[in-house]
Amino acid sequence: NAGVTQTPKFQVLKTGQSMTLQCAQDMNHEYMSWYRQDPGMGLRLIHYSVGAGITDQGEVPNGYNVSRSTTEDFPLRLLSAAPSQTSVYFCASSLAGTGLNEQFFGPGTRLTVL
Amino acid sequence: KNEVEQSPQNLTAQEGEFITINCSYSVGISALHWLQQHPGGGIVSLFMLSSGKKKHGRLIATINIQEKHSSLHITASHPRDSAVYICAVRLMDSNYQLIWGAGTKLIIKP
């Protein structure tokens, strides 16, 4: 199993550009989520999905869109990049339903918006 | 006030020392997670607790639900234990969302 994969690992954008961060998992996990990590702060939840076709907003959803057309894939779209979106982005997945589920993380995408 | 607070923020110790990292929370939880973030950035789940104590190798995690406090201990610390250790809690009324601490940066010197 590859676990949780993310692409790209690094990305530099100009303000106003759009892009999609890719996330995939091969563990048949129902729950997937996107976090951003900024210096000195805990991980903050952007969006999450409890299954194919179902998504919901987390703590900091503005400026980001997600979709979940398959169990495996959960892409994160930046609609119009802003310098405030410079961050490290992590995708995570886990089994859903019991509330006691280990989370598996992707390696992260380091995004810089100029 | 943050709902999840970790202490200390930074910790430097000598190889072999016994390490304690603390996590306090102010909300009702169903589970508490301890994770490790390597210097390269990868995040790995260490423990998931809802009560009592768990041990894995040199790592021990405890939780006191009444006091809303958890500790992560590392025995016989080694430079390879150098990492950021993160506490996260799963809210009582949610199966999905975690609230994260800011992390404790641990450096073990040889």
Side-chain angles (χ1 to χ4, degrees):
Chain A
N1 287 350
V4 181
T5 58
Q6 286 183 240
T7 56
K9 290 189 177 180
F10 302 94
Q11 183 70 50
V12 179
L13 293 177
K14 294 182 179 179
T15 297
Q17 287 184 315
S18 62
M19 79 158 295
T20 299
L21 306 184
Q22 301 292 344
C23 174
Q25 52 89 12
D26 61 0
M27 298 172 282
N28 204 31
H29 286 171
E30 293 180 21
Y31 176 56
M32 297 185 73
S33 55
W34 277 102
Y35 294 93
R36 59 178 289 173
Q37 186 179 40
D38 300 298
M41 301 181 70
L43 290 167
R44 291 186 292 170
L45 182 66
I46 304 171
H47 285 284
Y48 67 97
S49 169
V50 301
I54 307 169
T55 64
D56 205 349
Q57 296 181 351
E59 182 184 354
V60 288
N62 292 339
Y64 308 96
N65 273 357
V66 292
S67 60
R68 184 95 179 269
S69 56
T70 67
T71 299
E72 294 78 19
D73 300 299
F74 191 44
L76 177 72
R77 280 181 288 277
L78 279 71
L79 307 173
S80 177
S84 61
Q85 293 179 304
T86 294
S87 188
V88 181
Y89 292 85
F90 288 97
C91 178
S93 75
S94 65
L95 292 172
T98 67
L100 295 174
N101 302 300
E102 179 182 0
Q103 292 221 327
F104 295 83
F105 285 83
T109 295
R110 187 174 294 275
L111 176 67
T112 301
V113 182
L114 303 175
Chain B
K1 186 180 189 316
N2 292 335
E3 292 168 304
V4 178
E5 293 196 342
Q6 290 186 233
S7 62
Q9 283 186 314
N10 296 283
L11 178 58
T12 299
Q14 291 297 131
E15 182 173 358
E17 286 189 33
F18 181 82
I19 303 299
T20 296
I21 298 170
N22 298 298
C23 176
S24 297
Y25 53 92
S26 58
V27 293
I29 70 168
S30 59
L32 182 142
H33 296 251
W34 281 103
L35 305 100
Q36 179 192 55
Q37 185 168 25
H38 301 291
I43 300 174
V44 176
S45 180
L46 297 175
F47 294 104
M48 198 163 45
L49 294 163
S50 56
S51 64
K53 175 181 176 178
K54 286 190 176 180
K55 184 176 189 292
H56 181 70
R58 296 181 293 106
L59 300 178
I60 304 166
T62 64
I63 188 168
N64 185 317
I65 297 293
Q66 286 73 29
E67 295 186 2
K68 295 188 174 179
H69 180 268
S70 175
S71 293
L72 177 68
H73 305 286
I74 304 174
T75 62
S77 59
H78 189 276
R80 65 175 175 265
D81 297 326
S82 298
V84 176
Y85 292 85
I86 305 170
C87 167
V89 299
R90 189 175 297 279
L91 296 179
M92 184 78 75
D93 58 357
S94 171
N95 277 349
Y96 310 113
Q97 295 198 6
L98 294 172
I99 300 177
W100 298 79
T104 294
K105 184 175 183 179
L106 174 66
I107 297 173
I108 303 296
K109 293 185 175 181

